Amino acid sequence: MAALKAYSFPGGESAARRIRGIRAVQRGEIRSSPEARWNAFVANEFVDATTTAFRWKARIGSGVLSVVVTDAYESGHGRLVVSKGPLQLKKLTGPDVDKGELQRYLGYVGYCPPMMLNNPSLEFADVVDRTLKVRDRRDTTGASVDLYLGEDGRPVLIRAVRPMTIGKRVVPTLWSATGSDPHEWEGLRVWRHMEAAWHLPAGLFTYVRIDLTSFTAVR
């Protein structure tokens, strides 16, 4: 944990303790299945560093075919909402969504490092050498992620078993996320590129790629 903090806070911990969250603008691409085509998106996201919460709002596609997707975990509950103009096309809630969205937040250590210092409900436990298990003490779903560190303390890989929705079924599935192209912003070392994937029987399915275009620390 000490190596992770030393890597993540090149500007020192005292400055990072004043950061309440981060706001980011993103560009990327996403797809719904291994056979589906990639769709470009632009997104805005707020990640709270003082309590377990985030909200990601993305416009996917362009023109009349575009949709707005909101992925969030707030007040102990997760939700996924897809809308087109005033029409809500899909809304997912419930215990499986709560767990999956919480795990997404727990995997944000390399993207919002102040959460390590300022969110008192988070617990980081050593599993094996250079591997930490991250959980929220207030959680009732059993959610956690494993965080793998490099020799210099950098977060290299996040892994977890997350609920994956396949049609009308929810299947616990191995999931992973990685970050790269680290950049120093406002005293923090932050991933500038992120990818996430499901580990399916047929092979690895990378479903989202994200690049940060702007990053702001909220004080």
Side-chain angles (χ1 to χ4, degrees), residues 12-25:
E13 290 188 24
S14 60
R17 290 186 185 278
R18 296 193 293 271
I19 296 175
R20 297 184 294 107
I22 61 107
R23 295 190 186 278
V25 179

Side-chain angles (χ1 to χ4, degrees), residues 39 46 64 73 76 79-80 109 122 128 135 145 181-182:
N39 290 292
F46 172 70
V64 297
Y73 185 88
R79 71 181 185 279
L80 170 64
V109 171
L122 296 187
V128 294
R135 59 180 293 272
V145 302
D181 192 17

Side-chain angles (χ1 to χ4, degrees), residues 50-79:
T50 64
T51 190
T52 304
F54 78 91
R55 183 184 298 180
W56 183 80
K57 189 171 184 178
R59 180 172 294 278
I60 301 175
S62 60
V64 297
L65 298 179
S66 68
V67 297
V68 174
V69 176
T70 301
D71 228 354
Y73 185 88
E74 296 169 317
S75 301
H77 295 287
R79 71 181 185 279

Side-chain angles (χ1 to χ4, degrees), residues 28-41 56 60-61 164-165 195-198 200 203-210:
E29 53 186 1
I30 193 168
R31 58 181 177 170
S32 57
S33 71
E35 299 79 23
R37 66 182 180 87
W38 288 98
N39 290 292
F41 68 81
W56 183 80
I60 301 175
M164 181 181 185
T165 301
E195 297 188 6
W198 295 103
L200 305 178
L204 187 72
F205 163 40
T206 299
Y207 65 90
V208 66
R209 300 166 179 158
I210 296 172

Side-chain angles (χ1 to χ4, degrees), residues 3 9 37 77 79 101 106 112 116 128 141 157 167 173 182 211:
F9 306 120
R37 66 182 180 87
H77 295 287
R79 71 181 185 279
E101 300 292 17
L106 297 175
C112 180
M116 288 187 281
V128 294
T141 68
L157 175 69
T173 305
D211 289 298

Side-chain angles (χ1 to χ4, degrees), residues 123-142:
E123 178 181 276
F124 294 79
D126 290 317
V127 179
V128 294
D129 186 35
R130 299 204 305 271
T131 303
L132 301 172
K133 185 173 290 294
V134 188
R135 59 180 293 272
D136 189 307
R137 297 183 184 91
R138 300 174 182 173
D139 170 49
T140 60
T141 68

